[in-house]
């Protein structure tokens, strides 16, 4: 199983980006999909989570501006980021709790990260 995060880029303040997190491989089921970010010199922080029943969680900094969603048919999660601010600049990582085919439990996989830079 592999996770690939993509969709980052350079955007002006007030702009938007849509990040994608695509899982590939022999997958039986995906439970939670999570987005984290890590800014230079700071710890990695949880931005948003979506569970298999579509319940969501947002950090205070993401509430009202970001929206997490998923397409189970495509094994893909998304993070729509609107009204971006310079302080949103970070490397964004996705993770997912996956039950691989032929294995008896859940495993957490991580994507490689995608850079988001918001200019003022």
């Amino acid at each position: 199983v592999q996770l690939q995060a993509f969709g980052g880029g350079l955007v002006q303040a007030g702009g938007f980006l849509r990040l994608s997190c695509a899982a590939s491989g022999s997958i039986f089921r995906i439970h939670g999909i999570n987005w984290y970010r890590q800014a230079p010199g700071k710890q990695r922080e949880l931005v948003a989570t979506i569970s298999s029943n579509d319940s969501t969680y947002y950090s205070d900094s993401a509430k009202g501006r970001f929206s997490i969603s998923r397409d189970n048919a495509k094994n893909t999660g998304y993070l729509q980021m609107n009204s971006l601010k310079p302080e949103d600049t970070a490397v964004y990582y996705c993770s997912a709790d996956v039950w691989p085919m032929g294995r008896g439990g859940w495993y957490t996989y991580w994507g490689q990260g995608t850079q988001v830079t918001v200019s003022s």
Side-chain angles (χ1 to χ4, degrees):
V1 175
Q2 290 187 327
L3 253 59
Q4 184 178 10
F6 55 95
L10 173 63
V11 64
Q12 289 188 330
F16 63 91
L17 284 172
R18 188 194 197 204
L19 305 183
S20 299
C21 176
S24 60
S26 297
I27 297 169
F28 173 59
R29 185 171 292 178
I30 298 176
H31 180 45
I33 298 174
N34 317 291
W35 286 98
Y36 291 81
R37 69 185 182 186
Q38 188 166 20
K42 295 188 177 180
Q43 288 188 331
R44 189 172 297 189
E45 62 172 344
L46 178 64
V47 176
T49 295
I50 186 166
S51 70
S52 56
N53 65 1
D54 288 337
S55 64
T56 58
Y57 161 84
Y58 296 95
S59 65
D60 287 343
S61 60
K63 284 178 185 176
R65 299 187 300 125
F66 294 3
S67 177
I68 190 170
S69 61
R70 61 192 291 163
D71 184 334
N72 293 325
K74 296 181 179 179
N75 287 333
T76 299
Y78 304 97
L79 185 68
Q80 178 69 40
M81 305 188 295
N82 299 325
S83 303
L84 283 163
K85 304 175 182 179
E87 50 264 44
D88 294 318
T89 295
V91 178
Y92 284 70
Y93 299 90
C94 66
S95 73
D97 301 314
V98 179
W99 189 308
M101 288 283 198
R103 302 188 72 178
W106 298 98
Y107 295 81
T108 299
Y109 294 88
W110 287 84
Q112 81 286 5
T114 183
Q115 176 70 47
V116 172
T117 302
V118 185
S119 63
S120 57

